Amino acid sequence: MSDEEGTFCLVLHSHLPWLAHHGTWPVGEEWLYQAWAHSYLPVVDLLRRFADEGRRDLLTLGVTPVLAAQLDDPYCLRAFHEWLGHWRLRAEHAGSLWRGRLADLAAVEYRAALAATEEFETRWRHGFSPVLRSLVDDDVVELLGGPATHPFQPLLDERVRSFALRTGLADTALRLDHRPAGIWAPECGYAPGMEATYAAEGVRRFLVDGPSLRGDTAAARTVGSSEVVCFGRDLEVTYRVWSPKAGYPGHAHYRDFHTWDHEVGLKPARVTGKHVEPADKAPYDPAAASATLRGHVDDFVDTVVTRLRTLRREHGRRGLVVAAYDTELFGHWWHEGPAWLEAVLRALPEAGVRVTTLRGALAAGHLGGPVELPASSWGSGKDWRVWDGEQVADMVEANTGLQRRLLALADAPHVRTSRDPVRDQAVTEALLALSSDWAFMVTKDSAADYARRRARQHTERFDRLAALSATDPARALAEAANLRELSHPFGHLDAR
């Protein structure tokens, strides 16, 4: 593989909170099934095709334990299969209603639904883990793990933080027979000293946002006095695709994520313009989108090459660019995203860029000296305000109290030497309440009521189980069994 210009690492972060049995539309299971159909299936398909071509160390793929649990869950597998069938029926209905260019789009939707169903019924019928394991075993991807339910780690008590991380890494090892050496720290959240937790749990590398390294992301760096390594996201390159204000997916020719034909449940419009009302948006034109995509592929490759040449002039050696995105961007949020992703991964090596994983970047020598990292995240302001700001102060206070009660439950005398299903479920509910998603959704005013309800619901379930375990063990067992039907991502979780 050529590395004349330098090294490029693409990191994808795959995550959704626990959604099964917790609402459907507009927030809930529908969110999971849309991302599954439009992002996870096509991204895995392109990885499999690269694997068939003999490509190795292609990209670094983070999959959070709570998402993996849903993609393996028997209930979710059945429900997603039904969702795929409804997608085909919606496309058929659109074909009977839409005219002109939209009639062609309905036919494209129908074929996509059939292809997704066939892919799911053949390769995914036993869940995600067998599919992912083949990619990991063949070194097509480097796998990143993470804490069990994607909590914002800087706001966790050290014991809770360690337990959440240990539980998440153990879950990945059980599913894939592979314990990740690296993690995607949820929200890239970091507090000074967290590298000690990582080292204790066997984590050797993690991601931070570029400003945490004051923009010096041209090499990985050891953190403090530890041997744990951090990689910084290069925002100059990353933001060409997706930024708070601009990026490729907002181009007028691309399919509009927010505009629905609610009669058929499909998206018929192109972006058209930032300030154009949904009713006034132009019909989606796949040919125009495809032509725009080719230009954006060329632009991104040029951006990476230019950045690497600049780094080489500044540092006197080949540099490293790390671009990191949510996997759900590709297909779910940005309809054309998977096609762009495949084209970029093919074009960069042709432009003289080494494309590899974080592991591969270290093997290529992209490691600098130690660094002291500040408290940081990849959220607004690059600090903790999204998860610890005024809008969510009540949630932070509630989570702090929940952690105190969780630790009190853990420290309470307990006569049983075997596992206690009541305590196991109580701990599960506490971890689900501590998911970073709830505060993010409130701060960003994205289904904030749903997020507050979910956080409160799991906290109340924990408190109910904790109280019953001390006063009415028989009723506590029955309550825990009922809650396991709704929220049971980690069968191995042991409260002891």
Side-chain angles (χ1 to χ4, degrees):
M1 179 184 297
S2 173
D3 64 348
E4 178 184 348
E5 302 292 355
T7 299
F8 174 80
C9 293
L10 176 68
V11 185
L12 298 181
H13 175 53
S14 316
H15 169 67
L16 289 175
W18 183 260
L19 299 168
H21 307 289
H22 288 84
T24 51
W25 173 270
V27 184
E29 291 180 18
E30 178 74 16
W31 185 8
L32 171 64
Y33 303 144
Q34 286 184 27
W36 200 337
H38 303 314
S39 290
Y40 307 145
L41 287 180
V43 168
V44 166
D45 178 62
L46 73 86
L47 290 173
R48 180 179 54 78
R49 286 186 280 109
F50 276 117
D52 291 343
E53 296 171 13
R55 291 283 293 272
R56 298 294 181 264
D57 280 327
L58 184 66
L59 57 81
T60 302
L61 180 64
V63 180
T64 62
V66 71
L67 174 62
Q70 291 175 97
L71 300 183
D72 282 344
D73 183 78
Y75 165 80
C76 292
L77 290 167
R78 291 193 302 271
F80 180 54
H81 192 224
E82 293 177 3
W83 188 94
L84 290 171
H86 285 295
W87 180 17
R88 179 177 58 81
L89 292 174
R90 293 198 306 271
E92 284 184 341
H93 186 40
S96 67
L97 294 178
W98 289 353
R99 296 291 179 266
R101 183 177 295 162
L102 286 182
D104 295 335
L105 179 60
V108 170
E109 282 282 323
Y110 182 81
R111 290 193 295 271
L114 284 181
T117 303
E118 181 179 1
E119 178 76 4
F120 179 75
E121 291 176 344
T122 54
R123 300 184 189 279
W124 289 67
R125 62 185 181 276
H126 298 302
F128 183 41
S129 289
V131 179
L132 179 58
R133 180 171 179 175
S134 67
L135 297 171
V136 174
D137 287 349
D138 291 343
D139 291 327
V140 179
V141 300
E142 176 189 359
L143 181 68
L144 299 183
T149 57
H150 203 263
F152 190 71
Q153 295 180 109
L155 299 181
L156 296 185
D157 177 275
E158 174 58 30
R159 288 173 63 190
V160 177
R161 182 192 302 163
S162 297
F163 180 80
L165 180 56
R166 187 163 60 251
T167 300
L169 294 173
D171 186 79
T172 302
L174 282 169
R175 294 182 192 278
L176 303 179
D177 194 30
H178 177 87
R179 186 180 176 91
I183 69 165
W184 180 288
E187 319 296 1
C188 290
Y190 175 80
M194 274 175 46
E195 65 275 7
T197 301
Y198 294 158
E201 300 301 336
V203 173
R204 299 198 292 272
R205 46 190 173 269
F206 67 102
L207 270 292
V208 296
D209 213 6
S212 300
L213 293 168
R214 293 170 289 280
D216 184 10
T217 59
R221 310 287 290 275
T222 54
V223 182
S225 60
S226 76
E227 295 183 359
V228 178
V229 170
C230 73
F231 287 83
R233 193 171 68 133
D234 187 318
L235 297 189
E236 182 175 321
V237 173
T238 296
Y239 279 178
R240 293 297 294 173
V241 181
W242 194 246
S243 75
K245 297 180 179 179
Y248 303 148
H251 190 278
H253 289 163
Y254 289 141
R255 198 166 183 177
D256 188 69
F257 174 80
H258 300 284
T259 301
W260 291 83
D261 179 336
H262 289 284
E263 185 173 355
V264 298
L266 298 175
K267 300 172 183 178
R270 60 184 177 91
V271 172
T272 310
K274 291 183 178 180
H275 305 294
V276 178
E277 292 298 319
D280 299 324
K281 289 183 181 286
Y284 179 64
D285 182 350
S290 180
T292 300
L293 187 81
R294 289 192 293 273
H296 284 155
V297 170
D298 292 342
D299 178 77
F300 187 79
V301 172
D302 288 345
T303 299
V304 171
V305 169
T306 299
R307 176 67 167 153
L308 288 171
R309 289 174 178 172
T310 300
L311 293 174
R312 188 167 186 173
R313 287 195 301 271
E314 291 177 353
H315 300 285
R317 62 181 182 274
R318 291 185 178 92
L320 170 68
V321 164
V322 176
Y325 307 99
D326 289 337
T327 306
E328 295 77 23
L329 169 63
F330 299 97
H332 176 47
W333 292 99
W334 181 19
H335 177 73
E336 297 79 8
W340 178 90
L341 188 64
E342 179 171 357
V344 162
L345 291 172
R346 296 190 184 282
L348 281 169
E350 295 174 358
V353 177
R354 175 194 296 269
V355 174
T356 188
T357 59
L358 300 181
R359 174 183 61 207
L362 290 175
H366 295 289
L367 180 62
V371 65
E372 298 292 337
L373 294 174
S376 54
S377 78
W378 76 340
S380 302
K382 306 306 178 184
D383 52 23
W384 299 352
R385 71 186 64 177
V386 172
W387 301 274
D388 194 23
E390 182 178 348
Q391 289 173 273
V392 292
D394 58 325
M395 299 178 75
V396 173
E397 182 179 3
N399 285 347
T400 301
L402 171 61
Q403 291 182 75
R404 284 197 298 267
R405 297 193 299 278
L406 173 61
L407 292 172
L409 178 69
D411 292 336
H414 193 46
V415 297
R416 294 192 184 188
T417 57
S418 59
R419 285 182 62 174
D420 182 344
V422 175
R423 291 192 177 206
D424 290 353
Q425 189 62 33
V427 172
T428 298
E429 298 293 344
L431 293 181
L432 290 169
L434 294 170
S435 168
S436 72
D437 300 88
W438 313 137
F440 178 89
M441 293 166 70
V442 171
T443 299
K444 298 299 183 180
D445 194 25
S446 173
D449 290 344
Y450 176 88
R452 286 189 174 277
R453 183 169 67 252
R454 287 293 306 276
R456 182 174 61 251
Q457 188 177 58
H458 291 297
T459 299
E460 290 172 350
R461 290 173 178 176
F462 167 85
D463 287 331
R464 190 161 65 249
L465 287 173
L468 287 173
S469 68
T471 60
D472 192 341
R475 187 178 168 197
L477 279 170
E479 180 72 4
N482 289 335
L483 292 177
R484 277 197 301 276
E485 294 296 316
L486 303 176
S487 305
H488 192 53
F490 311 119
H492 64 90
L493 185 148
D494 187 339
R496 292 174 297 178

